[in-house]
Amino acid sequence: KYTPDRSEKRKTELQEALKIMEQVPRYANDAIHLMGLEGYHGNFDILGQLLLQENFLVYINGQKKPTPRQIFCFENAVLFSKPVPVKNTSRKLSVSQTAPKYSYKNHFLLSQIGLTRFLPDDVTNVQFQLNIYKKNQKHTGETFLLQAANTGIRDQWMNKIEKLLFMQFENMKNRAASNML
């Protein structure tokens, strides 16, 4: 009944189930934040699956004072939104009234983004920069310097965006090779 093979198989199944269940709170949290996004009238299917969402301080085009932004990283795009403060009232608020709210600002397809990993002035090691390009690959001059709360968040985001950009490059390279055949 409990042979080593069965026991090992059962252990593997339980470990896989645990991995799935550990993701449920993250997916629920991501869904709550995404449901709070107001003003985006595009198609979320085009953006792809939501992979990361986090609050950053953002310096736009070299400005001196950062602006807080809730940023969503999808498979195909990065979306910027502005946190909307919850109104303080003396009455008890429902869960939907206290859920985070965001005002859509803009988004960029990954094909428009370049990533700068190391910034010379970043002594805290929590910043990275997104450079925006047009279709003809000329730099538009738009830069978004993102400052994370800590190096772990910065590294997670940079690694995810680098991986997505590399996958996109590989897909384009494979399409180009198949068109040459």
Side-chain angles (χ1 to χ4, degrees), residues 14-31:
L14 287 171
Q15 286 173 334
E16 288 173 8
L18 178 62
K19 282 182 188 175
I20 292 169
M21 292 308 296
E22 286 174 338
Q23 295 298 316
V24 170
R26 194 200 86 185
Y27 289 137
N29 185 50
D30 287 350

Side-chain angles (χ1 to χ4, degrees), residues 53-67:
Q53 56 85 20
E54 191 66 54
N55 195 311
F56 288 90
L57 290 177
V58 179
Y59 298 84
I60 303 168
N61 295 326
Q63 69 188 27
K64 299 292 181 204
K65 185 177 178 188
T67 54

Side-chain angles (χ1 to χ4, degrees), residues 101-165:
K101 299 271 187 241
Y102 307 102
S103 174
Y104 168 79
K105 289 299 181 186
N106 52 16
H107 74 280
F108 302 99
L109 296 176
L110 284 176
S111 60
Q112 298 174 290
I113 292 175
L115 178 67
T116 303
R117 181 179 267 277
F118 299 105
L119 302 170
D121 296 337
D122 181 18
V123 294
T124 59
N125 208 29
V126 293
Q127 297 177 338
F128 62 99
Q129 184 169 294
L130 299 179
N131 304 298
I132 308 304
Y133 296 87
K134 290 190 178 192
K135 284 190 177 193
N136 61 6
Q137 297 303 309
K138 298 229 177 187
H139 188 262
T140 65
E142 284 187 281
T143 59
F144 296 85
L145 189 141
L146 282 60
Q147 182 172 317
N150 59 55
T151 57
I153 292 170
R154 180 193 131 232
D155 291 346
Q156 180 186 29
W157 274 72
M158 282 194 314
N159 291 338
K160 181 60 75 178
I161 291 172
E162 280 180 340
K163 182 179 176 184
L164 291 169
L165 291 172

